[in-house]
Amino acid sequence: MKLLHVDASAKREWSNSRALSRYFIDLLQAQQADLEIDYLDLTTATPAHVDEAFTIATYTPQAERTPVMQQALQASDALCARLLAADAFVFAMPMYNFSMPSVFKAFIDNIVRTDVTYRKAADGSYQGMMAAEKVLFITTRGADLRAGSPLAGMDGLTPSLRAAFGFIGVREPHFVDAQPLTFAEAEQREAALVRAKQDLAQVAQQWGRA
């Protein structure tokens, strides 16, 4: 199994999301000795933000693209190729101001590509090309956004991820959310990380059996 592992936290080695993603990968490797990992750190290899040249090139039919257009899409093409070559995915990130880190939004903008990761069918519907069943989002949140909490309606991250990846073919992703962390007492933070690790262990077992 080939797994694409993407980290997006600016905190690097201080990051809880990175620590949790490594924890999950270690569990999975213990079950699958042949696991192949393609690792991408978006804080050191940040995709370029969409600009005019990119938007013109991506909506120009491939056969009509000039060398300049092809160059504008080269990095995005490479990211899409990595995405489509993987069988499983782990995307780890903190929540920043109720949504995703800007580096991960740039990643999404580079991989949601017409006629590459999605296409428009003859009936006008859109079909995603990313058909993987093993997709895990690991997120960390400073506050408690779980159902029933005062901030429960402030989660802009989960629906954004579901929408973007659902559009390119991901139907049933797993979400493991560690919360509350930054704005919680030490006991609450520890409990949040324990819950997340328990959830990750369950996902690793599921993937190991498949």
Side-chain angles (χ1 to χ4, degrees), residues 137-149:
F137 293 102
I138 301 172
T139 79
T140 52
R141 291 105 183 276
D144 192 346
L145 280 74
R146 290 175 293 176
S149 75

Side-chain angles (χ1 to χ4, degrees), residues 20 23-24 27 136 138 146 174-178 191-206:
L20 290 172
Y23 176 80
F24 177 79
L27 291 176
L136 170 63
I138 301 172
R146 290 175 293 176
H174 292 271
F175 281 85
V176 172
D177 307 315
L193 293 173
V194 168
R195 287 194 301 270
K197 287 182 177 180
Q198 291 172 342
D199 292 344
L200 291 172
Q202 292 180 353
V203 177
Q205 287 182 346
Q206 293 175 17

Side-chain angles (χ1 to χ4, degrees), residues 41-57:
D41 184 345
L42 293 177
T43 67
T44 58
T46 306
H49 291 288
V50 169
D51 59 13
E52 182 182 26
F54 182 97
T55 56
I56 292 173

Side-chain angles (χ1 to χ4, degrees), residues 30-88:
Q31 299 184 64
Q32 298 197 6
D34 63 342
L35 184 66
E36 179 184 351
I37 299 174
D38 179 11
Y39 180 68
L40 175 60
D41 184 345
L42 293 177
T43 67
T44 58
T46 306
H49 291 288
V50 169
D51 59 13
E52 182 182 26
F54 182 97
T55 56
I56 292 173
T58 194
Y59 291 113
T60 298
Q62 186 173 4
E64 300 174 18
R65 287 174 189 157
T66 66
V68 172
M69 291 179 180
Q70 293 171 12
Q71 178 64 31
L73 296 175
Q74 188 173 35
S76 172
D77 288 341
L79 282 176
C80 291
R82 291 172 73 172
L83 190 81
L84 295 173
D87 307 302

Side-chain angles (χ1 to χ4, degrees), residues 6 9 16 32 36 57 88 107-108 117 131 133 148-149 166 174 203 209:
V6 179
S9 174
N16 285 305
Q32 298 197 6
E36 179 184 351
F107 174 74
I108 287 177
T117 55
E133 296 180 359
S149 75
H174 292 271
V203 177
R209 290 195 300 266

